[in-house]
Amino acid sequence: EGNNETGDWERKKWRHIDLIPILNTTLHSMRNFAKKQENNDKEPKVSVFVASDTTKARSWFVENAPPNWHIVRPTKELSRPESGVWFGEDESTTSNVLSQEERDEAMAEAVADLFALGVCDALFIPNYSSFSIVGIMLARAESRKVFFYWFGQYLEYPPTDDV
């Protein structure tokens, strides 16, 4: 599953995911991480920032996260293309239907998302992309945790000695 993108994404079969199992694994891993940070078995209060081109992801977390978790929502919901992403591969013409103001808003949202990822206590990256690299670099610069999805589980990078 993805964001109905065509072109280069469509040809990259390794980028295609089965969304619901990955969301379930992500939530399970996030809960374990949060409990470990609190050093107890109680359900800690958590804020979750979901950066995804797949619109289903945020609503899934709203429906499935523990009730005391806060799922961060943007103050303004921007439109999404029917197929692909606004700023995809080099030759993409998807954003041509946007006015300059809409392009500016979409780009501002993307940049804000990048920096928001950098201040998270932990990043859970189910499918690495060029979009996530800035957040990863910012998180690692501050010694924050980054987890990558690998064959049904999340692995911390760099690995810790307490495994």
Side-chain angles (χ1 to χ4, degrees), residues 64-140:
N64 293 281
N68 63 330
W69 284 25
H70 170 68
I71 310 304
V72 177
R73 297 175 190 231
T75 54
K76 181 178 182 181
E77 292 282 339
L78 299 178
S79 64
R80 299 278 185 214
E82 289 180 25
S83 172
V85 292
W86 290 131
F87 307 103
E89 65 181 290
D90 292 337
E91 305 296 320
S92 175
T93 59
T94 307
S95 67
N96 290 354
V97 300
L98 299 175
S99 69
Q100 188 60 52
E101 181 178 344
E102 290 169 321
R103 284 184 197 170
D104 292 346
E105 284 183 332
M107 185 57 75
E109 178 189 45
V111 171
D113 285 358
L114 291 172
F115 284 104
L117 290 173
V119 297
C120 292
D121 291 329
L123 298 182
F124 290 82
I125 312 289
N127 201 346
Y128 173 81
S129 71
S130 57
F131 173 83
S132 59
I133 190 67
V134 174
I136 293 167
M137 290 188 308
L138 291 170
R140 290 304 304 142

Side-chain angles (χ1 to χ4, degrees), residues 16-35:
H16 300 197
I17 62 169
D18 192 1
L19 184 62
I20 299 304
I22 287 184
L23 291 172
N24 281 319
T25 301
T26 303
L27 180 58
H28 176 76
S29 299
M30 292 168 72
R31 288 177 90 157
N32 288 342
F33 173 78
K35 286 178 183 178

